[in-house]
Amino acid sequence: MDRLTIRNARLLTLGGSGPARGGDLRDLGVIDRGFVRCAAGRIERVAAGDPEPDGGLELDAGGRVCMPALVDAHAHLCWGGDRWDEWDRLRAGTPWPEILAAGGGILSTVRATRAAGEDALAEGVRVRLQAMARLGVGATEAKSGYGLEPETEARMLRAIATAAERSPVLVQRTFLGGHAIPPEDPAWPERLAREVIPDFARRFPGIAIDAFCERNALSVEQCRAVLEAARLAGLPSRLHTDQFTSMGGAEMAVRAGARSVDHLEAATAETVRVVAASNAIAVMLPCSGYALDGRQAPGRALADAGAAIALGSNANPGSAPTVDLRFAMHLAVRHAGLTAAEAIVAATRNAAFALGLGGQVGSLTPGMHANLIVLEDRDERSLVHAFAAEPPRHVVLGGRVLQG
Ligand code: NIG
């Protein structure tokens, strides 16, 4: 059955030709009572009122909310091992940057990932994608970044592709070779920019490039070289920046034309101004603030200054051990000052643009992937205000209703 119509729904269409900012960031594009018709995995029609029968499967939403499936703008998803011992140390008061400086954190996962085979890595990604799909996520990023040498980074990117081929979730791969500096190779950032990014651009078409600008990770200068290598290779770039320390990374990334600046918990008022005035999307990651130290990006200030804000789960084994983007939405409202409508736009339309998938997912627009969710409620604020909640009533990915 490749035809599906969801009728009698409160529709959030969330359309737009670019990322939303300002008043647009609160515009859900509501159709009070309407239908979405899907055919061959794509959205065919979105309209008010009732559809003509077309012989395909029909779901009566009973007035419930039907909206695009969620889009996770920042997720790691591929790693070996676990970090539960480290979690105990974090809870006992050791700050995350100190754990990294002592060779733990990201570097501990690097050791485990280097030791993991490609099948095991792909299986881990598959399990996480399956969990995301159940929660209503229809598209996500999946980063490498726990290899920090070419062979393991390539294995991670292949493992992500293998899992993505078997999943209904649309996956955008990011090469996060600049996640940290491996102790045995202090010149890694320079080699990454000079040799590895040009090579990976040929071997893995369509990837984005990412790095982590922070004390004990890459310097602003090293990140600048990584972003410049991406530009020369014709690839979009992103930057983890201003998470713990304000070092000028966001300003540099904006000048370098990065597609997004991610984290921003330590962003100053001036950084907020610069980011808001730029084309870069401000990707907030509230789950890591929740898990680590309670600090959150200045969401309200960013929104008021006119930034294009997106949200990510930041799923990873250390700072955000969750794949639940809905929890990130909840935290963005509860602890970073966004409204429910802003969180919804940030986790659909704007997240899609942060991944370069703005023409494909994140809104109910004819021609886009038929990735949508029907909520249990008739008021979309339930999606954001509730936490540790049940999955949506229906998840439709590629025009098919997900079972189980
Ligand atoms: O986005 N900040 C850098 N990278 C991840 C953390 C990864 C980890 O803890 O393994 C983040 O929070």
Side-chain angles (χ1 to χ4, degrees):
M1 176 73 67
D2 74 344
R3 297 188 69 79
L4 168 71
T5 302
I6 296 173
R7 52 183 283 274
N8 190 19
R10 173 176 166 83
L11 301 178
L12 313 185
T13 60
L14 286 151
S17 55
R21 54 177 83 229
D24 214 14
L25 190 61
R26 289 186 286 278
D27 183 3
L28 300 175
V30 175
I31 295 176
D32 277 330
R33 185 175 172 283
F35 66 92
V36 185
R37 176 154 280 167
C38 311
R42 300 277 164 170
I43 295 173
E44 188 180 73
R45 189 149 174 247
V46 181
D50 290 306
E52 295 294 318
D54 74 342
L57 182 65
E58 272 202 11
L59 278 180
D60 182 346
R64 295 179 177 84
V65 173
C66 173
M67 57 180 283
L70 302 176
V71 179
D72 194 329
H74 182 127
H76 292 259
L77 294 193
C78 185
W79 63 81
D82 63 55
R83 301 249 287 276
W84 306 127
D85 290 348
E86 177 184 301
W87 178 253
D88 290 341
R89 287 166 65 200
L90 278 167
R91 299 283 54 90
T94 312
W96 187 96
E98 266 182 39
I99 293 176
L100 175 60
I106 294 170
L107 294 174
S108 141
T109 300
V110 166
R111 289 188 289 277
T113 306
R114 285 178 179 176
E118 194 166 319
D119 289 351
L121 292 175
E123 175 59 10
V125 180
R126 186 196 67 77
V127 167
R128 289 165 201 131
L129 288 175
Q130 190 177 49
M132 291 173 117
R134 281 198 198 108
L135 296 172
V137 173
T140 183
E141 184 194 38
K143 298 179 192 284
S144 67
Y146 291 114
L148 307 184
E149 45 80 15
E151 194 190 314
T152 309
E153 290 290 332
R155 192 176 341 124
M156 294 182 78
L157 290 170
R158 288 195 304 270
I160 292 167
T162 302
E165 275 163 23
R166 297 172 189 160
S167 169
V169 178
L170 195 62
V171 177
Q172 171 61 44
R173 289 185 299 175
T174 296
F175 173 35
L176 175 55
H179 203 184
I181 304 179
E184 78 285 357
D185 187 7
W188 165 246
E190 288 71 28
R191 188 156 70 92
L192 173 68
R194 198 177 55 245
E195 295 167 18
V196 185
I197 289 174
D199 179 40
F200 274 36
R202 283 186 291 274
R203 291 168 62 193
F204 302 104
I207 54 172
I209 301 295
D210 196 356
F212 180 25
C213 188
E214 184 59 56
R215 279 178 300 126
N216 305 321
L218 274 70
S219 68
V220 175
E221 273 316 305
Q222 288 168 325
C223 290
R224 188 199 314 276
V226 169
L227 269 49
E228 175 62 6
R231 192 187 67 77
L232 290 172
L235 297 175
S237 59
R238 321 184 51 174
L239 192 66
H240 289 66
T241 187
D242 297 68
Q243 181 178 9
F244 298 97
T245 318
S246 170
M247 313 196 311
E251 287 82 351
M252 180 279 293
V254 161
R255 278 196 301 277
R259 183 190 275 158
S260 71
V261 285
D262 303 44
H263 270 296
L264 302 175
E265 290 92 329
T268 63
E270 176 58 11
T271 302
V272 166
R273 194 192 63 72
V274 170
V275 170
S278 78
N279 289 329
I281 297 179
V283 179
M284 291 170 49
L285 306 167
C287 294
S288 37
Y290 172 80
L292 295 182
D293 52 18
R295 293 174 312 108
Q296 293 294 344
R300 188 70 257 143
L302 283 161
D304 288 344
I309 297 174
L311 282 167
S313 67
N314 195 19
N316 75 67
S319 71
T322 179
V323 293
D324 195 346
L325 180 58
R326 301 172 313 165
F327 189 49
M329 297 165 76
H330 173 84
L331 293 172
V333 170
R334 177 71 182 80
H335 293 298
L338 297 194
T339 66
E342 287 167 341
I344 290 172
V345 173
T348 52
R349 170 176 165 184
N350 279 12
F353 282 100
L355 297 186
L357 299 176
Q360 300 185 53
V361 291
S363 76
L364 300 184
T365 304
M368 287 205 185
H369 287 261
N371 287 1
L372 36 105
I373 53 179
V374 178
L375 305 184
E376 205 52 70
D377 296 277
R378 294 169 179 79
D379 185 326
E380 57 277 4
R381 287 174 296 187
S382 65
L383 176 64
V384 177
H385 290 173
F387 58 93
E390 290 297 309
R393 183 180 181 90
H394 300 295
V395 177
V396 175
L397 297 181
R400 288 170 190 266
V401 183
L402 208 72
Q403 307 293 341

